[in-house]
Amino acid sequence: MTDSELKGAVLPALKKPGGAVRDFLRLAMEKELADAVILPMKVPSGDSFAWILMNDISLLDDAVPIAATMPVQGAKALRSLTRKGPGNLKIIAVMRPCEIRAAMELSKLGQVHPENLILATYDCPGAVQLQKYVDDPAGSEEYFAGMLQKGKPDDSAKPVCHTCENFSMFDSDIHFGYLGLSEKEVLVIPGSEKGSALLEGLGLDLTKDLQAWEKGIDQLKADKLNSRKSTFEETKAQLNGFNGLLSVFANCIGCHNCQSACPICYCRLCYFDSETAEQDPDALITAAEKRGGISLPVDRIMFHTGRMAHMSLSCVSCGQCSDACPVSIPVADVFSYVADQTQRTFEYTAGRNDGDPLPLRQFRKAELPGVHELVKDADAEVPSHE
Amino acid sequence: MSEWQPKILAILCNWCSYAGADLAGVSRMQYPPNIRVVRVPCSGRVDPLFIMKSLQSGFDGVLVSGCHPGDCHYISGNYVARRKFAVLKPLLEFIGIEPNRVQFSWISAGEGERFATVVTKITEDVRKLGPSTRLVKKL
Ligand code: SF4
Ligand code: SF4
């Protein structure tokens, strides 16, 4: 499906984009085109959201399709549901683009089976940082309403949202678009055959051309790409050399929360939580004797770089790791920057659903000439990470 | 105290480089005694963490050697290994490991001489760099 021939249908949006999404889902369930839906719902205390799998239409009234913050990455919810196979329920999941992208990565890793899922995204304005939301739910809702109106993040949003270029339709089955349109309409756009079949089944009139919406997206994308460039420059300067990295992670308490919150890190037992990762006490004492002193424990930088080596090719820059860090380390800023570099090596974008396998599951015969060449200039200084 | 000697971990593929090392040995070729060999079934088996862990445990350098392109016993393990190393290399530089400390090469079972050359090269490179102090950070 090329962009030019792609058309969408208009949904009435009297209740703002979220309301239009809810009405759409209600219709899909009523017409039995979906057995259930997965949506965020406010938790009883009112200061957070949880993913709810619902097949009772009446529950939809309390759902918040476009939630202000994201406590649990949606891909984790999809994994818990489909990790053993697609199941036989047809389920529509409405999630942020970075959540759908993480689900796509997990499906390439055999952890999500999306065959019976209909993945729906929307123009994501960003998400409020979790801590801010928990501290002040009412105020955060106001911030988020403003973000939703402008379609872009403000200061309450996660830092990675400001540099996110994949905030809109990204290989989902259906997409709800509202950017660049009047406040009264929301577009529903098919992104796959599965998505088209659903919209046809619902009898939606797919005749609306997408120009206005596409223009809105392009404008915002240009802004985001600019801020992405400048932010990455800053991160690069900040991380310069080993000491840069050390100072960013200086306060890391080694809780591994960043890893538990990460949708990509699905391993049940991470190497870094295992006995093998521990240093032998005798070796530490020998090292201390040889060097006059060493810092203990020694594995924090290992943990972070090890994680980068293992998963940065699949990092979707969702920012969950930063939200989870109890000592406010900007983990996601670092991972997002590193991911940009490593994914660029293979011209890969995490979350693409174009049949392209993970970079480490494929290769070209003639590529990456520098890797096996012995480095010529042995006296060279440690280069900066360009 | 005698002169400092670099300690280098050589992770060698069973089907090529390890046999290449053997050939160098039976041909009585001379190469520095600074390597400690670990045999793996394929260079594709080498997880980036093996390399980081060796440096953390006190090795001053790491050599990973597998079959030449097209010669992998398992058809494509060495190509995938190359991709893994391409990700790891900038990360190592990122944490301040000089590029010459970790080297990758292709050595076939028939290349005893090449094995000796590669080992001599990395030993001298690492000797110039001095003892590795990263990962186990000196205060
Ligand atoms: S590393 Fe952080 S930003 Fe990247 S996918 Fe994991 S949680 Fe999201
Ligand atoms: S969540 Fe923060 S403190 Fe915990 S391991 Fe990650 S970076 Fe360190």
Side-chain angles (χ1 to χ4, degrees):
Chain A
M1 207 172 325
T2 64
D3 282 4
S4 54
E5 55 192 61
L6 195 59
K7 294 259 167 35
V10 182
L11 303 173
L14 301 173
K15 290 165 277 183
K16 298 270 155 61
V21 173
R22 206 160 32 215
D23 293 343
F24 176 92
L25 296 174
R26 183 173 290 114
L27 189 65
M29 296 237 285
E30 275 165 7
K31 293 211 169 179
E32 292 180 0
L33 290 169
D35 301 309
V37 295
I38 300 177
L39 285 177
M41 206 186 248
K42 270 240 162 107
V43 297
S45 59
D47 59 359
S48 191
F49 297 89
W51 290 106
I52 306 292
L53 169 69
M54 49 185 107
N55 55 3
D56 176 349
I57 297 185
S58 67
L59 280 177
L60 264 177
D61 295 332
D62 297 322
V64 186
I66 304 181
T69 187
M70 44 191 286
V72 172
Q73 231 271 8
K76 280 181 174 272
L78 296 177
R79 175 176 179 268
S80 64
L81 205 57
T82 65
R83 75 193 157 89
K84 293 199 167 164
N88 39 27
L89 285 188
K90 192 165 213 182
I91 299 169
I92 306 179
V94 184
M95 294 184 176
R96 292 187 146 79
C98 59
E99 297 177 302
I100 300 295
R101 291 171 58 217
M104 256 20 272
E105 287 301 293
L106 287 178
S107 105
K108 294 174 196 173
L109 290 159
Q111 294 297 313
V112 161
H113 294 86
E115 290 82 347
N116 289 335
L117 296 174
I118 293 182
L119 303 174
T121 50
Y122 45 87
D123 295 342
C124 177
V128 177
Q129 293 170 38
L130 187 57
Q131 192 58 54
K132 287 202 174 150
Y133 194 90
V134 173
D135 288 345
D136 177 13
S140 299
E141 285 293 349
E142 261 171 53
Y143 287 132
F144 188 65
M147 279 162 54
L148 207 50
Q149 192 150 35
K150 289 194 290 281
K152 54 182 176 191
D154 67 11
D155 290 346
S156 69
K158 302 179 178 201
V160 282
C161 299
H162 293 270
T163 53
C164 173
E165 51 178 337
N166 301 313
F167 57 91
S168 183
M169 190 162 186
F170 191 93
D171 290 0
S172 51
D173 295 311
I174 49 176
H175 182 81
F176 300 99
Y178 63 90
L179 283 173
L181 305 179
S182 89
E183 276 192 27
K184 296 236 159 50
E185 39 181 33
V186 169
L187 273 177
V188 54
I189 306 155
S192 69
E193 279 172 25
K194 231 196 278 180
S196 301
L198 173 69
L199 300 192
E200 272 163 37
L202 288 171
L204 290 174
D205 178 25
L206 288 172
T207 49
K208 172 89 175 172
D209 75 55
L210 305 180
Q211 267 169 12
W213 172 72
E214 278 166 351
K215 221 174 121 201
I217 298 290
D218 288 347
Q219 240 164 29
L220 200 52
K221 204 172 245 176
D223 290 353
K224 294 247 192 166
L225 280 173
N226 277 336
S227 92
R228 191 176 169 86
K229 236 174 110 193
S230 57
T231 306
F232 282 174
E233 283 301 321
E234 279 164 34
T235 311
K236 185 175 157 187
Q238 201 184 0
L239 289 175
N240 198 15
F242 185 58
N243 288 329
L245 193 71
L246 258 191
S247 62
V248 171
F249 288 106
N251 287 331
C252 172
I253 57 171
C255 64
H256 297 189
N257 277 5
C258 45
Q259 170 212 53
S260 329
C262 176
I264 306 299
C265 282
Y266 66 85
C267 298
R268 183 157 298 178
L269 177 62
C270 175
Y271 164 82
F272 290 104
D273 294 322
S274 74
E275 167 69 23
T276 343
E278 305 254 9
Q279 281 280 93
D280 180 45
D282 289 343
L284 290 178
I285 289 166
T286 316
E289 276 172 354
K290 270 208 315 222
R291 291 166 195 190
I294 52 164
S295 69
L296 295 171
V298 293
D299 56 356
R300 284 175 311 178
I301 294 298
M302 259 289 264
F303 166 67
H304 292 291
T305 18
R307 214 163 77 80
M308 288 169 196
H310 274 171
M311 56 66 66
S312 67
L313 285 169
S314 290
C315 170
V316 295
S317 300
C318 61
Q320 292 300 88
C321 43
S322 287
D323 265 6
C325 180
V327 289
S328 307
I329 294 170
V331 195
D333 297 358
V334 178
F335 274 74
S336 179
Y337 166 72
V338 171
D340 184 70
Q341 309 275 307
T342 56
Q343 291 176 24
R344 208 184 281 271
T345 310
F346 304 110
E347 291 165 15
Y348 182 74
T349 305
R352 267 262 113 92
N353 179 22
D354 54 4
D356 204 16
L358 294 168
L360 294 185
R361 297 261 170 92
Q362 53 168 323
F363 59 87
R364 291 196 201 103
K365 287 199 169 148
E367 65 174 0
L368 307 169
V371 176
H372 279 76
E373 230 173 43
L374 297 185
V375 181
K376 293 204 184 65
D377 183 6
D379 299 320
E381 277 284 291
V382 184
S384 69
H385 31 277
E386 178 55 75
Chain B
M1 224 167 90
S2 61
E3 197 200 334
W4 169 76
Q5 286 293 337
K7 240 196 286 166
I8 295 163
L9 188 72
I11 308 179
L12 308 178
C13 160
N14 176 47
W15 303 102
C16 52
S17 305
Y18 189 82
D22 234 9
L23 182 61
V26 297
S27 319
R28 300 176 171 263
M29 282 165 191
Q30 295 287 323
Y31 61 83
N34 300 59
I35 58 163
R36 313 286 188 274
V37 176
V38 171
R39 179 165 57 160
V40 286
C42 175
S43 53
R45 171 66 183 90
V46 180
D47 188 290
L49 289 183
F50 294 3
I51 296 168
M52 291 169 60
K53 179 82 180 173
S54 338
L55 293 167
Q56 190 194 38
S57 312
F59 279 98
D60 303 300
V62 181
L63 169 70
V64 181
S65 188
C67 305
H68 284 273
D71 288 351
C72 177
H73 188 75
Y74 307 99
I75 301 167
S76 60
N78 53 353
Y79 288 119
V80 173
R82 179 169 60 188
R83 287 200 153 207
K84 278 194 219 169
F85 302 152
V87 174
L88 179 66
K89 254 179 97 121
L91 288 179
L92 288 175
E93 288 168 26
F94 204 47
I95 54 176
I97 309 272
E98 302 85 341
N100 274 358
R101 273 195 206 283
V102 179
Q103 302 190 9
F104 308 104
S105 68
W106 323 106
I107 301 172
S108 77
E111 293 177 321
E113 208 179 323
R114 183 173 154 80
F115 182 81
T117 316
V118 167
V119 172
T120 310
K121 162 94 169 69
I122 186 168
T123 308
E124 288 324 305
D125 285 352
V126 175
R127 196 189 299 283
K128 271 190 216 160
L129 291 168
S132 171
T133 53
R134 300 305 193 190
L135 287 172
V136 178
K137 200 201 165 230
K138 199 176 170 184
L139 279 177

